[in-house]
Structures are given as structure tokens and as C-alpha cells.
Amino acid sequence: MAAAGGGWAAVCEKFRTARTLSTVESRKDPETEPYRSKYSARALLQEVKQLLSATEEGGEARLLAVRRAVLEYELGVNHTDTEELSAGEEHLQRCTQLLEPHRLSPDCVSLYIQAQNNLGILWSLRDEIKTAQTYLESAEALYNQYMKEDGNPPLDPSEHFMAEEEKITDQERSKRFEKAYTHTLYYLAQVYQHLEMIEKAAQYCHTTLKRQLEYCGYNPVEWALNAATLSQYYLSKQCFMEARHCLAAASVIFSQAGQVPSAEDNETEQDQQDLRQRKAEIARCWIKYCLNLLQSARKLLEDNIGELDPDRQLELKAQRKKEEDEKEKGRKKAVLFGTSDICDSVLAIEEKVSSVYPLDFQEAREIFLVGQNYVLEAKEFFQVDGYVTDHIEIVQDHSALFKVLAFFEEDYERRCKMHKRRLDMLESIYVDLNPQYYLLISRQLQFELADTYYEMMDLKIAIGNRLEELDSHTIKKINSLAQLAIKYYELFLDSLRNPDRVFPEQLEEDVLRPAMVAKFHIARLYGKLITSDSKKQLENMQTSLEYYMFLVDYCEKYPDAVRAVETELELSKEMVGLLPTRMERLRAKLCPFI
Amino acid sequence: PSVSQVALRIRPMSAAELAEGARPIAHLMDEQVVVLQDPMEDPDDILRASCSREKSYVFDVAFDSSATQETVYRATTQGLVAGVISGHNTTVFAYGPTGCGKTYTMLGTDGEPGIYARTLGELFQAIEDASGDTEYEVSMSYLEIYNEMIRDLLNPSLGCLQLREDAGGTVQVAGITEISAISAEEVSQRAPMGHGGDPANSPLPGAARLPQVLQALARGNMQRTQEPTAANRTSSRSHAVLQVTVRQRRRGRGLRRGRLFMIDLAGSERAAQTQNRGQRMKEGAHINRSLLALGNCIKALSHQASTKYINYRDSKLTRLLKDSLGGNSHTVMIAHISPASTAFKESRSTLAYAHRAKSIRTT
């Protein structure tokens, strides 16, 4: 040993005190002197450093160097914590220099990695992200190299100032080492994010989450929320398998949380409330998953008029058969969460919902049902009273689920039933909503209601056309749907008026297209109204013409708007040309003698 | 009418900054343009030397130390008052690092009242002047959001309050103190002769009560949570929100309600982690040490996507303002910076942020 037994124990004691001051006592420092403990710790560390220099002995050079390195590390972190970055950098550099020749050996590797982690943090504090990146990537590489070439649990740096009997178990060593590496990966995730290497950042976040489960200890609710949030990232990239895995893991880990009872009564109620809310939030992520999967499939399958293209369907089904084998291989390489005990639970949840695009009604319906279940779960917590905005968003998602399911349904009558469900749920929330204070949501609902009535009307007409003649019941139905669609489009357009009830001269960019589409649809709807009264028919045609004219006139006045409504504008121009002639003909029939 | 406006205010150099030897690097070029010079003096840094050392930023309106409180108020907030009375929602934010003048702009001092005082004064006067067939009620609350906890600054002993949302359109703080500053009945009581009354006769209740209200605000401001950072500055991590509601009832025309939020935001400066308490660090290039903040990292990933996803980590401030930030509401941000060379990094980041804010849509 480098010093006499008693002396050495005293040195260790000093070191330990310094560490306690730094990590424990410093949290209690008063706000007027936030670094008091750290400064004391620093003084102690300097003393230990002096003591070590005083005992230089040739034979133990290596051991001495490592101990010095530990001190340099602690001092480096100390200075960084107290915002003295230059000094911090000096110490940390000295630490790595001392360890350099032995950095791959078990007594040095953990310390070296931690030093590099801290250099990474230091440089980020200076806003030099690329420099931070080099240190962290170097730490990452070192870890990998060590695990490949040696792999045994290395010494924890604190052990260099411990007596022989105090040394920690291999298991604990491994745990601490892995934790240091987890931090490396976590810091890298942040670095990649700042460098806008988003995919890499996501990958590292994912790995960090995985390692939290395995090594670091974690709060189940936090972990579950993080995993659910990560799933949303994957959704945005259409990586459904990964998204599903994150969500399934989130659900499994979250269920662990409910099992730990809370101590005090006060806390319990708030905690219970929080738990219920988190559960509902995870449910909402699942809803988005199902919705996204269905909507993405729709995009692949639809033709240019928005109907399911059977050829494309066959194509995709054939392609899927081929890919199934490859996917299985890919699966095993993916970063899977969980130790063996949760693996099965996660798998069980994953099996309840597909992660591949649904290509027909049956497959779509299964995903729809899963989504619908989560809607009910989410609504349990996010009730109207108290969570209006959230509740409405969930209902909108529910409506969207029906809408996309209808795409897969071939039978028109059944499609109508789905749209009817949408109408019921949307109207029930719309009716209580104060449009003045929920302007945006109000408009969304008005527009969606109008569109749905419009869609239903079109379906009824298509159904009616299959029969030879439209019976009076169907006619009434078609007219009523058309009127309701018109009503809601008008409400939407009204909402654009300023407080003096004047319709704006020029429409703002974000409402331009919906407003134009509303006008266009109203024009078309007036054209679809069925009446045996020719006078009424003339009136309808006149109204229709006026709305078509609005589009044409507006685009002439504001040519920039053309981009937003090209198709509709073209059709409007046609109608503006045709309608007057038709109206003339009708007028002639009515008054043949004029 | 523009839906949002971004203003920039440069405060005067402080005594401390002058003592440190700092020189001014932020200058007002004209009514709208602010120029920031990079004070870096490292001749060996060839890369940087070849870049321009100056950057200019354009805002809707900009001020420096020559602008009075009155000027700032007129250019940013005065025009919004009429809108609030007729039922619009408006939000005015003061943004910027600690010590750059946010509270001065919003609250002001006795001798130099800020936006709170002037807006309330304007509201009261407008209501005074209104015709008799209109009834007004103006009520206000003053609250603090600190570390996601809401406190009533007019009655801090209530402790932490909850947010509630209802179908009528209000997100409100349950149980908060509301001062009703004027009630139309009181006005007409003092003017028995007719509608609105003769201004010469009625004792201007608005003016009489305004000082009391402002006193209450000043007291409330002292109740804000303060915590010094390591650099021994008084750093404010609390947002102070003054919420004014104007209800207008016109005979035969129903009820209109406008809300005005005036917010003194928490200091935006990057906080070095002085104590490892796992407090979330503000956005910046620096790395957050604690794994507890992994969530922030992950959340930021999906912000890259254009589709809307669930943002259930909405802060209390966002929720409170959510329905006032939609539709045809107005938002005004007044960003604040120090002109000193020692504050270059913070100023740069504030200017960049405010500049970005100009392109944020409120719908």
C-alpha cells in the first residue's frame, strides 16, 4: 500500500466526506450560499491531493496515478458544478491523461468513461455541441471495446478510496458501470437532437429507456409516459412496429405502478388522480396509433377519387406475403424492451393489434375495435365536465376512426350507419359548446358535421340510383341530409365573420381553403336538392350559381388563392357557364308565352 | 387586424454592468430594427472572424432606454383595450432573461407605472365613458405559476390551486380571488340623473379605485416566489399572470366577455444546474444531466413532425391560456434584453426566440 494503514484510512475518510458533502449535503445548502458544501468538499479534495503527492513511491506508480486521477475527476466535476468551467476542464483533462495508457483495464475504464461524460457535459455548457459529441462518442466506443475485449465488471472509481473489506460486489460494480454507460447514451441522445440527427436521437432515447428497465431503476409511471411519447415519434415516421412495441411496454410497465400503495392519505388521492390521468393519456396514444395505422393504409389503397382501389389492394396483399418472412428476421434485431418477465406481457399486448397495414375490411375492423376500446378507456377520465378540450379531441379521434373504417366498407348502407354514428357523437358535443370561446374547435366540428352530412347524402343518392326510381322516402332523406349539410357549412362560414357580422373581404390563409370548399359544397348541395316545384328549383339553381360565382370572383380578385382550390375552381367555372343556360331553359318551360 | 405582434425593449445599462466594464452591443437602429454585435475578441479564431459580427432583427416595434412607459404602452397594448371590451381575448407577454426589465414593463413603479396600471386605467375610463344602455363588469385576479403550482397572489394562504375547464369556454383557477373593479350598478348609482351621468357630477369611481387595485397588485408581486441563483442574482422562475375579465351586457344584445391576460414570464435565461434537484432545465444546447428529464428529450422528437400529437405535458400556463390563444384573439409579446456585452449570449438567444415568435400563428 502507498501509505501506512492508519494514515490511509484517514485519507479514505476525508475522501468519503468530500463526496458526501458534494452529493448529499449540497442539496441542503441555503439558497443564498448554494455552493457552500461544494467549496468545502473542494478544500478536502485538495488536502487529499496534497497527502497523495507526499507519498510518492516508485513501485506503486500505477496505483498512485489512478488515485490521482480519481481526485482530478472529483475536482473536475466540482468545478463544473460551481460554474468554473475552465478549471473543471483542466482537472478532467488531467484525469484522462493520467489514465490514458491504462484506460482499457478494469481499474480505469469506468472512471475514464465518466470523465469523458463530464467533458461532454462541460462542452455543451459552452454551447460547443460538436466537441461534446466527440467526447461522448469516444466514451461510447471505449465501453464497447472494453466489453468486447474484457467484459468483466470493472472497479467503481469510489473503490480506489476504500479499504479492502469495503470493496463492492461484482454485481454492484456491473450495475454502476452500466449506469455510467447509460448516461453516455442519454447524453448522446440529447447531442444528436441538438445536431438535428433526429433518427439517431430517437434510437438513443429508445436504448436509454431499455437500459433504464434493465439497470437503472425507474419510476414506472415516468417510464411508461416516456415510452408512450416515444411511440408518437415512431408514428410520425410510420414505424408502426416500433410504435406498437413502445406502447405495449408502456402499458405493461404502467400497470406495475398501480401496485405500489401510497403511505399518506392526502398523497393517495392526488396520486390516484394522477395515475388515472396517466392511464388515460396512454390510452390516447394508443388511439393515435390505431388511427394512424388505418389512415396510412387508406392512403396506400385509395384511388384518385378516394375510393378503395381493388388492384392496388391485390398488389399490396401479394407484396405483404413476401415481406412477412423478412419482417420476422428484422424483428429479432430490433431493440426490444424488457427482461424476460415483462417480455411475455408485452408480447401479449402486441398480439392484440396488428402493426402492418390493414388491406381489407376485416383487418381494418380489428384495428378499429382496439382503437374504440381505448376511446372508451380514455373517456372514463377525460369527461366533458372538467376536460372539455381533451374530451372533444378524443371524440374527434373516434369520429375519425369511423370515417376511415367506412373507407374499407363496401356496402353503402353500412357506410351510412357509420357516418350516422359520427353525426351523433359530434352533434352531442357540439350542441353544448360555446362557439365564442372555443372558436377553433367549433369550426372544426361544424366543418366535420357538414362534410359528414354531405358524404351521407352522396351515399344515399348512390344507393337510390341503383333502384329504378327514387321513392318519396329516399327523396325526403336526401333533401334533409343536404339541408343539414348546408346548415353546418353556413355556420362555419358565419364563424368567419368579424364581430360586426361582416364577412371578411380577404380570407386568412388558414381558413381560405375550408371556406372555399364550404362555398363550393353549398353550391353543389343546392344543385342536388330534389323538388317537383319548378319555381323552387329555379331558386335553388340561382343560389347555387351565386355560390359558384363567389369562388370565381374571389380567385379573380385574389389570384394567390387559386393554388388552394384549383379543382374546385375549375368545376365552379364550368358550372358558372352551364347554369345560366339551364335556368333559361327552365324559365322558358315555366312561362312559355314570354 | 394582425393577430399577434412582437415588440423588443432594450433596457438601459445597469450600474453593475458598467462597473464590470461591459460596453453596449445592442442598439436600436430605427423604430423596428435592433442590431446585436458579437463582442468576441479572439483574433486566433479565423472562422469566426470572417463571419459578420453583427446581426439585425426586425420586429413590429422596438424600443430602447429612451422610450418611456407611456410610449411602450401606447405602441403595444393601448389599441387592444377596445377589443377586450367588445369581447375579444387578448394576451400580453413580457419575455426575457432575469433582470432585463419584464417586471418594470408590466408592473412598473409608483412613479413610472407599467402596462398593468395603464391598461386598467384605460379600461376603467372607457367604461366610465360608455353609454347607459350598456352594463360593464370588470373583474381581475392575479396569480403565480411556479414549478407548475398555481398560487393566488392576492391570497397566498390558499396554497396551491387547480385548473378547471368547462363547456362555457372558461379555463379558470378554482377558488381564486377575484376583485370586481367596477360594477355598472355602482356607476349608475352615483349618476341618478340619467344614462352614464354627467361626468362633472359623478365622482369618477374608476379613478378613485384604481390606486387601491394597483396597491393590491404591488403587494401581490411581492408575494412571488423568489430564489437566487448561484450568481447571486434574484432569479424568478415564477410566471405572474394578471387576468382581467370584462363582461359587457347590452340591452337586447346579450352578454359579451373579453379576457385580457397580462403576463410577466419567468426568467428565460439558461440556468446552469446549481443544485441537482432534477428540476427541468430550460431549452438550450446544454445537456441535461438527470435521466429524469429523458421525457423532455423524447418529447422534442415528435415536435419535428408536422402532425399534431398529444401534448399531455402541457404546462399549467399553456392550459390556462389555451382558449385565449385561439381563433381571433390577439397576442402581444414584449421581449426584453440587456444592451451589455456581458449579456451577449442571452440577448442573442432572446432576440432569436422573439424573432421566431413572429411567425407563430395563434390558430
Side-chain angles (χ1 to χ4, degrees):
Chain A
M1 283 290 111
W8 180 241
V11 170
C12 288
E13 189 53 42
K14 244 194 195 92
F15 180 81
R16 266 198 296 277
T17 314
R19 290 217 60 200
T20 314
L21 276 170
S22 255
T23 51
V24 180
E25 295 298 318
S26 68
R27 294 184 203 190
K28 306 179 198 159
D29 279 343
E31 285 165 354
T32 44
E33 285 185 87
Y35 292 153
R36 191 170 64 184
S37 301
K38 297 223 184 226
Y39 292 143
S40 312
R42 187 186 300 176
L44 282 174
L45 288 168
Q46 295 285 15
E47 282 177 37
V48 175
K49 195 171 167 188
Q50 294 285 45
L51 287 170
L52 276 187
S53 322
T55 59
E56 265 196 63
E57 277 180 30
E60 304 283 353
R62 161 97 173 247
L63 189 56
L64 193 60
V66 178
R67 284 181 179 157
R68 277 222 188 98
V70 175
L71 282 170
E72 295 294 344
Y73 171 79
E74 292 290 340
L75 282 164
V77 174
N78 185 297
H79 281 280
T80 311
D81 284 346
T82 54
E83 298 178 63
E84 296 166 31
L85 296 183
S86 301
E89 185 189 353
E90 240 181 81
H91 287 287
L92 289 169
Q93 292 285 29
R94 240 180 269 153
C95 170
T96 51
Q97 272 159 23
L98 283 165
L99 297 172
E100 195 68 44
H102 317 290
R103 66 186 194 282
L104 269 173
S105 41
D107 56 338
C108 298
V109 67
S110 183
L111 181 59
Y112 195 89
I113 286 177
Q114 289 187 52
Q116 296 209 298
N117 281 354
N118 276 281
L119 279 164
I121 293 174
L122 191 149
W123 281 98
S124 85
L125 289 169
R126 288 175 168 164
D127 248 340
E128 299 282 341
I129 289 297
K130 293 225 152 179
T131 315
Q133 182 187 7
T134 50
Y135 282 107
L136 295 167
E137 286 181 341
S138 160
E140 182 188 18
L142 190 67
Y143 170 88
N144 287 319
Q145 195 182 359
Y146 176 79
M147 292 309 275
K148 193 166 147 200
E149 293 176 9
D150 186 326
N152 290 313
L155 250 58
D156 185 74
S158 62
E159 290 187 77
H160 292 293
F161 283 90
M162 272 182 195
E164 203 54 54
E165 358 21 291
E166 296 169 317
K167 305 259 167 159
I168 54 187
T169 61
D170 264 356
Q171 197 184 35
E172 182 64 25
R173 279 179 187 158
S174 174
K175 197 165 156 206
R176 293 189 195 185
F177 184 51
E178 297 295 344
K179 190 165 184 187
Y181 181 58
T182 303
H183 277 86
T184 311
L185 297 173
Y186 168 56
Y187 300 148
L188 275 169
Q190 296 178 67
V191 159
Y192 291 134
Q193 200 154 64
H194 286 301
L195 294 173
E196 311 212 334
M197 298 162 67
I198 300 303
E199 261 178 56
K200 240 186 150 164
Q203 187 193 333
Y204 277 74
C205 281
H206 189 130
T207 311
T208 306
L209 278 175
K210 175 174 155 67
R211 291 179 63 91
Q212 271 189 311
L213 281 184
E214 288 175 39
Y215 303 113
C216 287
Y218 56 94
N219 172 309
V221 176
E222 272 291 324
W223 196 96
L225 281 179
N226 288 346
T229 316
L230 189 59
S231 80
Q232 297 195 90
Y233 162 76
Y234 283 125
L235 277 184
S236 73
K237 297 284 170 197
Q238 314 273 292
C239 299
F240 292 102
M241 195 160 67
E242 290 80 350
R244 181 181 68 173
H245 187 60
C246 284
L247 281 169
S251 295
V252 169
I253 298 295
F254 183 82
S255 59
Q256 287 179 1
Q259 293 159 14
V260 181
S262 207
E264 297 131 43
D265 259 47
N266 281 352
E267 299 243 86
T268 306
E269 221 189 282
Q270 181 62 25
D271 284 349
Q272 288 297 334
Q273 168 95 331
D274 280 344
L275 268 182
R276 283 199 298 270
Q277 179 164 356
R278 299 306 178 206
K279 182 155 190 260
E281 282 164 357
I282 294 178
R284 286 176 76 185
C285 289
W286 273 111
I287 299 173
K288 295 286 185 195
Y289 170 83
C290 296
L291 191 52
N292 260 277
L293 186 56
L294 287 164
Q295 286 172 339
S296 298
R298 175 186 179 152
K299 279 206 194 96
L300 287 178
L301 287 166
E302 66 183 354
D303 59 23
N304 52 15
I305 53 165
E307 290 289 333
L308 203 155
D309 182 341
D311 294 327
R312 226 170 274 185
Q313 187 180 35
L314 285 170
E315 232 182 87
L316 288 167
K317 281 195 169 173
Q319 194 180 0
R320 183 165 71 183
K321 255 200 165 354
K322 261 197 264 164
E323 284 176 356
E324 246 155 33
D325 300 321
E326 288 169 29
K327 272 233 168 84
E328 268 312 298
K329 296 183 210 150
R331 195 51 218 301
K332 300 194 171 117
K333 287 197 220 146
V335 183
L336 295 177
F337 287 127
T339 50
S340 49
D341 45 322
I342 67 162
C343 240
D344 289 334
S345 318
V346 172
L347 213 56
I349 296 190
E350 285 181 314
E351 277 168 0
K352 292 192 188 150
V353 67
S354 162
S355 69
V356 296
Y357 294 123
L359 296 174
D360 59 34
F361 180 75
Q362 277 306 343
E363 293 170 4
R365 187 169 172 271
E366 279 174 28
I367 299 170
F368 167 86
L369 287 172
V370 172
Q372 187 163 255
N373 275 337
Y374 281 113
V375 164
L376 296 172
E377 197 179 302
K379 285 206 303 204
E380 268 174 35
F381 182 82
F382 290 111
Q383 295 172 0
V384 181
D385 190 28
Y387 296 98
V388 174
T389 318
D390 297 294
H391 180 94
I392 292 182
E393 198 184 303
I394 296 170
V395 172
Q396 283 176 311
D397 281 348
H398 197 183
S399 166
L401 280 168
F402 269 111
K403 181 173 177 182
V404 72
L405 184 63
F407 167 79
F408 287 93
E409 171 61 76
E410 288 172 1
D411 180 274
Y412 286 176
E413 282 290 2
R414 286 201 287 266
R415 272 198 203 176
C416 279
K417 291 212 176 79
M418 292 178 196
H419 290 306
K420 181 78 176 65
R421 290 289 302 271
R422 292 175 64 198
L423 292 169
D424 291 340
M425 69 176 83
L426 292 170
E427 267 176 337
S428 77
I429 47 166
Y430 177 75
V431 89
D432 284 325
L433 207 58
N434 188 326
Q436 192 183 359
Y437 309 123
Y438 282 110
L439 186 62
L440 182 60
I441 293 183
S442 232
R443 283 182 185 165
Q444 286 173 353
L445 291 173
Q446 284 155 351
F447 204 86
E448 194 173 346
L449 279 162
D451 261 2
T452 312
Y453 275 115
Y454 185 75
E455 181 109 27
M456 263 187 88
M457 185 208 70
D458 260 346
L459 282 168
K460 288 289 185 197
I461 291 179
I463 294 172
N465 283 341
R466 292 197 184 143
L467 314 166
E468 286 192 356
E469 220 184 77
L470 290 176
D471 65 19
S472 68
H473 171 78
T474 314
I475 292 177
K476 252 207 205 143
K477 189 78 196 168
I478 291 173
N479 281 342
S480 131
L481 290 169
Q483 295 286 15
L484 284 161
I486 291 174
K487 164 184 158 187
Y488 280 104
Y489 280 129
E490 292 286 12
L491 277 170
F492 170 76
L493 289 168
D494 273 348
S495 79
L496 300 176
R497 294 171 188 267
N498 61 31
D500 294 323
R501 313 297 301 146
V502 172
F503 197 80
E505 267 299 304
Q506 184 172 18
L507 293 160
E508 307 222 356
E509 209 189 306
D510 47 349
V511 295
L512 176 62
R513 182 167 166 79
M516 301 296 260
V517 169
K519 293 266 185 190
F520 179 74
H521 281 185
I522 294 177
R524 197 167 167 265
L525 284 162
Y526 273 103
K528 294 276 179 181
L529 287 171
I530 305 170
T531 169
S532 48
D533 176 348
S534 300
K535 232 172 102 197
K536 193 79 182 57
Q537 198 179 357
L538 255 181
E539 277 172 31
N540 289 344
M541 288 168 89
Q542 179 60 31
T543 314
S544 190
L545 178 62
E546 280 164 19
Y547 276 87
Y548 283 126
M549 291 275 352
F550 176 89
L551 268 117
V552 175
D553 289 341
Y554 189 93
C555 287
E556 224 180 274
K557 200 164 164 206
Y558 301 103
D560 284 338
V562 176
R563 268 179 301 114
V565 283
E566 265 182 75
T567 333
E568 289 83 2
L569 180 61
E570 235 185 271
L571 290 164
S572 301
K573 283 188 181 154
E574 266 183 52
M575 292 308 285
V576 166
L578 284 172
L579 271 174
T581 326
R582 281 200 206 150
M583 285 164 70
E584 256 316 302
R585 249 183 263 146
L586 192 55
R587 243 179 250 127
K589 259 202 260 170
L590 285 177
C591 314
F593 305 112
I594 294 178
Chain B
S2 64
V3 192
S4 66
Q5 183 198 40
V6 180
L8 196 294
R9 189 175 195 183
I10 310 175
R11 69 153 166 72
M13 291 272 280
S14 70
E17 285 166 340
L18 288 167
E20 275 182 315
R23 56 185 174 82
I25 50 160
H27 308 281
L28 190 69
M29 293 309 290
D30 62 31
E31 293 170 346
Q32 291 184 281
V33 180
V34 169
V35 165
L36 184 72
Q37 292 168 321
D38 187 335
M40 231 192 34
E41 269 142 317
D42 187 349
D44 292 333
D45 194 328
I46 301 169
L47 275 171
R48 294 263 182 109
S50 60
C51 306
S52 164
R53 295 277 207 86
E54 259 185 28
K55 194 157 180 223
S56 57
Y57 301 84
V58 182
F59 298 98
D60 294 300
V61 63
F63 315 96
D64 64 5
S65 50
S66 64
T68 60
Q69 296 278 63
E70 176 74 15
T71 312
V72 173
Y73 169 70
R74 283 235 183 98
T76 58
T77 317
Q78 189 178 43
L80 303 173
V81 173
V84 176
I85 294 177
S86 53
H88 285 187
N89 293 333
T90 306
T91 310
V92 180
F93 288 100
Y95 172 86
T98 303
C100 287
K102 301 189 297 297
T103 308
Y104 177 71
T105 298
M106 298 311 284
L107 181 67
T109 59
D110 278 342
E112 294 163 4
I115 291 195
Y116 290 166
R118 292 172 196 272
T119 310
L120 287 171
E122 189 104 22
L123 266 176
F124 292 7
Q125 192 57 48
I127 282 155
E128 260 289 304
D129 297 339
S131 62
D133 62 352
T134 317
E135 255 181 38
Y136 285 101
E137 188 194 315
V138 177
S139 59
M140 48 171 251
S141 6
Y142 193 33
L143 59 101
E144 165 188 76
I145 302 178
Y146 174 75
N147 249 359
E148 292 302 284
M149 294 186 301
I150 302 179
R151 280 169 69 230
D152 182 347
L153 288 172
L154 299 176
N155 189 355
S157 60
L158 290 174
C160 191
L161 305 175
Q162 297 297 327
L163 280 176
R164 272 190 59 87
E165 203 175 354
D166 65 39
T170 339
V171 178
Q172 43 192 7
V173 183
I176 197 162
T177 312
E178 266 198 6
I179 300 183
S180 259
I182 282 186
S183 94
E185 275 164 17
E186 288 195 42
V187 176
S188 56
Q189 268 167 24
R190 297 177 201 224
M193 293 311 292
H195 308 300
D198 178 1
N201 281 343
S202 54
L204 296 176
R209 294 176 64 145
L210 183 57
Q212 291 165 350
V213 169
L214 294 176
Q215 260 176 34
L217 289 183
R219 276 199 305 273
N221 195 59
M222 302 217 302
Q223 298 292 331
R224 285 173 71 182
T225 312
Q226 300 282 328
E227 34 141 332
T229 61
N232 292 322
R233 291 176 294 179
T234 335
S235 157
S236 214
R237 280 188 219 278
S238 83
H239 308 295
V241 181
L242 176 63
Q243 180 181 321
V244 179
T245 309
V246 180
R247 289 181 184 83
Q248 177 202 69
R249 185 176 281 113
R250 259 195 233 175
R251 208 162 290 161
R253 297 261 211 107
L255 178 67
R256 272 196 200 164
R257 192 196 70 174
R259 286 223 278 191
L260 172 61
F261 285 98
M262 293 176 276
I263 308 178
D264 184 356
L265 285 174
S268 63
E269 71 277 8
R270 297 174 299 147
Q273 192 86 11
T274 59
Q275 288 153 341
N276 276 328
R277 283 189 185 164
Q279 274 183 14
R280 298 201 171 157
M281 279 164 78
K282 308 222 172 60
E283 261 190 60
H286 46 258
I287 288 175
N288 197 329
R289 280 186 212 249
S290 164
L291 276 172
L292 291 173
L294 176 59
N296 286 348
C297 200
I298 295 179
K299 178 184 165 193
L301 291 174
S302 38
H303 281 182
Q304 309 283 331
S306 50
T307 357
K308 189 176 79 124
Y309 286 95
I310 300 169
N311 191 7
Y312 49 67
R313 287 179 188 272
D314 260 355
S315 69
K316 292 266 171 24
L317 185 62
T318 318
R319 276 194 77 198
L320 186 62
L321 299 178
K322 189 179 339 202
D323 299 306
S324 294
L325 290 178
N328 56 3
S329 65
H330 296 259
T331 318
V332 175
M333 180 202 296
I334 309 177
H336 296 73
I337 59 170
S338 151
S341 48
T342 42
F344 170 68
K345 289 221 161 135
E346 287 169 356
S347 301
R348 182 176 62 177
S349 125
T350 305
L351 284 166
Y353 183 85
H355 202 248
R356 270 207 306 277
K358 284 189 346 185
S359 55
I360 294 174
R361 311 287 316 193
T362 57
T363 50

